[in-house]
Amino acid sequence: RLMGASARVIHKVFQGGIVKLTAAQAQSLAANPDVKSVHKDAVVKATGTETNAPWDLDILDSPTATLDTNYTAPNNGSGVTVYVVDSGIMRAHPEFSGVTITAGINFVANVDTSTSCGKGKTADPTVNPANTNDEAGHGGEVSSLIAGATLGASKGVTIVPVRVLNCDGEGSESAIISAAEWIASTRTSGAPAVANLSFGVATADLNGDTSLDTAIQGLIDSGVSVVAAAGNGVYDAKTKTNVGVDACLYTPASLPDAITVASVNRMHAQSPFSNWGTCVDLYAPGELVYIASIATPHIPMTGSGTSFSAPLVTAAAAQVLHDHPTWTPAQVAADVTSRSTPDIIGGASTANHLLNVTAKFAGTDPTITGALYAGETAEATLNWTPTPTTVTYQWYRDGAVIPGATTATYDTTLADVDVPITVTATGTSSGYLPVTGTSAPFTPALGLVMAAGTPTVTGQPAVSYTLTADPGTWDPSDVTLTYQWRREGVDIAGATASTYAPVAADVGQTLTVQVKGVKDGYAYEKGESAPTDVIQSATSVLAYTPFVKASIQDFLSRPATDDEVTSYADQLSSGALTTNGYLTTLANSDEWLSAIVTKMYQDTLGRDPDPAGLTTWVSWLRSGRFTVAQVASLFYASDEYYTYHAGNSATSWVTLLYEKMLNREPDPAGLAGWVTYTNNPKYGRSWVAYQFFQSQESRMLRVEHLYQALLYREPDPTGWPFWTQTVLTMGDLTLAITLASSQEYWERAHVRF
């Protein structure tokens, strides 16, 4: 009502309005007691003006400002809306072919004859809100640095062109206030958004009018992060260049809650034209950077100015909001600043922070767990996401470094009683800024006294044996014990069980076991065993001893004598005798062959052999006249077995073959068939017995028996059919030697003996 029907009411970013009045009308309005102030509209100018040689953007992802021709963004800013409050956008430019660009809005008259680009044209003071076409090129250049296909730092954002600058890069204060009002009014409440303001006006030119600052602050208060260019200084007639001045002399650069950005060059030195001062929050590349130009739509050009520094920070702010969409503008500003590289800008006038978009670890400072009493182990727990790949630690006692306490755990001592203990951790990972945090302090209390036991170690000190720790007697008796095996006083990684099998790295050294007792309310204690004898290798006499004992027991069915153990172990250790050669010796010994013949007598004839018969059969087996299979068949086919055990009955005899060799009763058809063969002079008992002994069923049982006897287990699905076929041609002895030569047999021998 005060300003008339033509006024544009502003109510989101401040309480007021915009209207065209005569000087007299303005004076009259200002005199109204309900009006705080009336100000004439001011001219605002874009801050990017200098254009020259090439410039890359890869400095953005290097914490050390090193150029490597690569740029890796932590994310593409998707889900974030960026309002480019500028001269519009050139939608047809190739840089924007894949960019999401909304309709936006225009606050600039169609043709303004007061501008150079409007001369000679018919004046048209009307405003077409839909005309966001960039006639100056500045808005498109700024937008290309935010989201351009090849030049943009945050390619996934949604660009909203808000046109407030005309084709000469100039605009009005009222247009910008209107733009702020429109953004605050149309933006979805709570949606993550950034506004880029690459323009400025000297506060002196506003004659005390704070409406622009108030409107932009209102926009920030509505939840929109605002990034402002610091400004490009003033023209120096002597040098014919712009020279930077205090950014606090310009708005919106001077607004405290805006992120104000100054410019650096390729060598990360402050650009000569860049404004500076306490109002600057950080620096970003702005001198000779690549931009999309309407003059050369297919070839990037270079431009200079803080106008081009600001959009890079806008892109970084969008990346922050992508990860933290509910953050306030203050939180976004703090995060962008915290990622920046400090103290690297040459000639910086305050705010020596260079923009960096490298990802940050999320989370909080480390915490300390696991210790309440002195003597217990405190552990640093990291709370960062993702977990750093490399972490360094330092523990402190009352703020002073604890020498040597540089791991994730710290064993507290009596010196720590009633003293604050903290830990500082620093984490690093490729593609992330280093992160450092210090825990809150904890103060160990004095615990009850625990009496440690005296640990001892049993077992042979050689590779292939297993050593066992006895923790001794502890007081109290219900403490929780943990174990750590040590080699010459150094912890062995992963050796934390009560048993330990020495490995090659232990040979020639002594071992101990350290036992730690813990119990709530008690200071922990540790006990350590006496050292073992020097660990011997897997080829030592000591290591071969159980193998010799086991093989003689298994092959000869008796314990080994001391002389045998000493002789064979020595020969095997020195290499004078191979494992295969040793086992073959056992298998061809008179004792082994006599055992085979004796078993044949007992299984078939039910008696021990007579001396002459035993000697004869052993000589025939050694000479190769008969194989074990043939000897077995001859014993079963003998007249003595047939007469006294089968009662001269072919049926009874064949039935016994089923029971003895196949461990089952005969089936009727099989029994009848084999009886026929037995009574047929062309085949006879020897042939039938041999067929039974060498049948697949018999061989499978013999293979199973050898596995059980030597390895104490059933054959595996692969080994069983293989060896069943192999023993048909190579004999059972080959399988016995192979099984006894295996690592599995070796390990079992060391458990048995």
Side-chain angles (χ1 to χ4, degrees):
R1 293 194 299 272
L2 290 171
M3 295 183 293
S6 64
R8 181 186 305 132
V9 176
I10 303 298
H11 65 94
K12 286 285 187 180
V13 293
F14 66 79
Q15 301 300 311
I18 299 169
V19 65
K20 190 172 184 178
L21 302 174
T22 65
Q25 290 171 326
Q27 289 174 356
S28 175
L29 184 61
N32 190 298
D34 292 326
V35 176
K36 180 180 180 181
S37 62
V38 175
H39 300 278
K40 185 179 180 181
D41 206 354
V43 175
V44 177
K45 295 184 178 181
T47 56
T49 56
E50 302 178 21
T51 57
N52 266 310
W55 167 242
D56 288 318
L57 302 179
D58 70 70
I59 199 173
L60 295 181
D61 64 351
S62 170
T64 58
T66 302
L67 300 178
D68 60 1
T69 73
N70 297 316
Y71 169 64
T72 303
N75 59 70
N76 67 358
S78 59
V80 180
T81 300
V82 175
Y83 296 93
V84 182
V85 185
D86 213 285
S87 62
I89 196 166
M90 35 197 172
R91 298 172 186 271
H93 196 286
E95 275 294 306
F96 302 115
S97 59
V99 179
T100 301
I101 304 174
T102 69
I105 193 169
N106 171 46
F107 293 101
V108 177
N110 289 336
V111 175
D112 184 354
T113 54
S114 67
T115 65
S116 60
C117 51
K119 291 181 179 179
K121 297 183 180 180
T122 303
D124 182 3
T126 62
V127 174
N128 177 8
N131 180 20
T132 57
N133 184 50
D134 186 6
E135 297 177 2
H138 190 265
E141 294 163 356
V142 166
S143 297
S144 70
L145 290 170
I146 298 171
T150 59
L151 308 177
S154 194
K155 298 174 174 55
V157 302
T158 296
I159 295 290
V160 180
V162 181
R163 189 177 175 216
V164 296
L165 303 180
N166 62 18
C167 55
D168 278 339
E170 294 184 349
S172 65
E173 178 188 9
S174 59
I176 296 167
I177 293 172
S178 299
E181 174 75 6
W182 179 82
I183 294 170
S185 300
T186 60
R187 167 180 163 267
T188 300
S189 178
V194 188
N196 187 89
L197 310 183
S198 288
F199 54 75
V201 59
T203 53
D205 293 342
L206 297 175
N207 296 314
D209 178 10
T210 60
S211 301
L212 183 57
D213 277 349
T214 303
I216 296 174
Q217 183 62 51
L219 181 59
I220 296 172
D221 293 342
S222 75
V224 178
S225 293
V226 169
V227 180
N232 294 333
V234 296
Y235 184 75
D236 183 359
K238 184 176 181 180
T239 62
K240 297 183 179 179
T241 59
N242 277 26
V243 177
V245 296
D246 190 347
C248 294
L249 300 175
Y250 291 81
T251 195
S254 59
L255 198 62
D257 289 343
I259 305 174
T260 300
V261 190
S263 171
V264 295
N265 60 22
R266 182 189 182 106
M267 302 307 294
H268 42 84
Q270 179 176 295
S271 299
F273 58 79
S274 176
N275 287 349
W276 39 262
T278 57
C279 291
V280 172
D281 294 293
L282 75 165
Y283 290 78
E287 186 175 343
L288 305 176
V289 298
Y290 282 114
I291 54 175
S293 171
I294 56 176
T296 57
H298 297 287
I299 303 174
M301 294 186 68
T302 56
S304 297
T306 58
S307 274
F308 305 136
S309 303
L312 297 178
V313 174
T314 293
Q319 292 164 356
V320 173
L321 283 168
H322 171 89
D323 290 337
H324 308 282
T326 62
W327 273 13
T328 65
Q331 289 174 302
V332 172
D335 191 86
V336 170
T337 303
S338 69
R339 296 191 196 204
S340 62
T341 304
D343 304 323
I344 200 171
I345 300 165
S349 304
T350 72
N352 198 323
H353 294 278
L354 178 61
L355 175 66
N356 187 280
V357 299
T358 307
K360 289 177 61 179
F361 290 100
T364 57
D365 288 337
T367 52
I368 297 176
T369 59
L372 295 175
Y373 303 97
E376 294 183 329
T377 299
E379 182 173 3
T381 300
L382 300 182
N383 303 307
W384 293 314
T385 303
T387 302
T389 55
T390 301
V391 184
T392 59
Y393 299 90
Q394 179 60 63
W395 293 81
Y396 295 86
R397 180 186 297 119
D398 200 17
V401 169
I402 302 176
T406 56
T407 64
T409 59
Y410 168 61
D411 292 339
T412 59
T413 69
L414 290 176
D416 301 319
V417 174
D418 296 332
V419 178
I421 304 297
T422 59
V423 63
T424 297
T426 298
T428 59
S429 289
S430 178
Y432 283 80
L433 290 173
V435 61
T436 297
T438 299
S439 70
F442 92 101
T443 303
L446 180 63
L448 298 174
V449 177
M450 178 185 298
T454 302
T456 56
V457 176
T458 58
Q460 296 291 350
V463 176
S464 300
Y465 281 98
T466 297
L467 303 178
T468 301
D470 182 337
T473 302
W474 290 70
D475 185 20
S477 60
D478 59 345
V479 298
T480 300
L481 300 177
T482 57
Y483 299 83
Q484 177 61 64
W485 292 85
R486 312 183 81 200
R487 181 189 301 123
E488 298 292 347
V490 178
D491 291 353
I492 301 172
T496 56
S498 60
T499 59
Y500 175 69
V503 296
D506 302 319
V507 174
Q509 303 185 70
T510 61
L511 302 177
T512 59
V513 64
Q514 189 179 80
V515 183
K516 179 180 178 181
V518 295
K519 180 178 172 63
D520 288 346
Y522 286 78
Y524 81 83
E525 286 291 346
K526 290 182 179 179
E528 189 160 359
S529 70
T532 64
D533 290 338
V534 171
I535 302 299
Q536 299 183 39
S537 72
T539 58
S540 64
V541 171
L542 182 59
Y544 272 111
T545 296
F547 171 69
V548 172
K549 290 180 178 180
S551 55
I552 288 179
Q553 180 69 57
D554 293 336
F555 277 68
L556 305 184
S557 300
R558 64 166 177 81
T561 66
D562 291 343
D563 288 342
E564 286 174 325
V565 172
T566 301
S567 175
Y568 283 128
D570 183 67
Q571 293 179 71
L572 289 165
S573 176
S574 65
L577 191 60
T578 65
T579 301
N580 188 270
Y582 159 69
L583 294 172
T584 302
T585 298
L586 293 184
N588 284 287
S589 67
D590 284 349
E591 192 171 357
W592 167 264
L593 296 176
S594 295
I596 292 176
V597 173
T598 298
K599 191 173 187 307
M600 293 292 184
Y601 269 94
Q602 293 170 340
D603 286 349
T604 59
L605 306 183
R607 63 179 175 85
D608 289 334
D610 57 281
L614 178 61
T615 301
T616 300
W617 284 110
V618 168
S619 66
W620 283 345
L621 282 170
R622 179 177 288 105
S623 67
R625 178 176 178 178
F626 295 112
T627 65
V628 172
Q630 290 170 328
V631 170
S633 64
L634 290 172
F635 267 88
Y636 279 106
S638 68
D639 289 338
E640 184 178 353
Y641 184 74
Y642 190 78
T643 300
Y644 292 105
H645 294 276
N648 284 318
S649 166
T651 300
S652 297
W653 182 75
V654 171
T655 300
L656 286 173
L657 294 183
Y658 268 99
E659 293 172 347
K660 292 279 189 178
M661 295 191 194
L662 305 185
N663 199 27
R664 66 177 175 87
E665 294 297 318
D667 57 280
L671 176 62
W674 287 113
V675 169
T676 300
Y677 281 119
T678 302
N679 292 327
N680 188 335
K682 182 178 179 180
Y683 298 100
R685 293 198 304 266
S686 295
W687 183 86
V688 170
Y690 186 81
Q691 300 307 312
F692 264 81
F693 190 83
Q694 291 292 67
S695 69
Q696 182 180 20
E697 192 172 353
S698 173
R699 285 181 281 119
M700 287 184 69
L701 289 172
R702 300 201 313 269
V703 169
E704 182 181 26
H705 170 74
L706 282 172
Y707 266 87
Q708 291 172 336
L710 298 178
L711 302 183
Y712 294 74
R713 66 174 175 87
E714 289 294 304
D716 55 274
T718 302
W720 202 339
F722 172 79
W723 285 111
T724 297
Q725 180 61 32
T726 301
V727 297
L728 179 64
T729 55
M730 301 183 68
D732 299 43
L733 182 59
T734 299
L735 173 57
I737 291 174
T738 300
L739 294 180
S741 299
S742 68
Q743 181 66 25
E744 185 176 354
Y745 184 83
W746 174 274
E747 292 173 357
R748 285 203 59 82
H750 284 78
V751 173
R752 293 166 60 192
F753 297 95

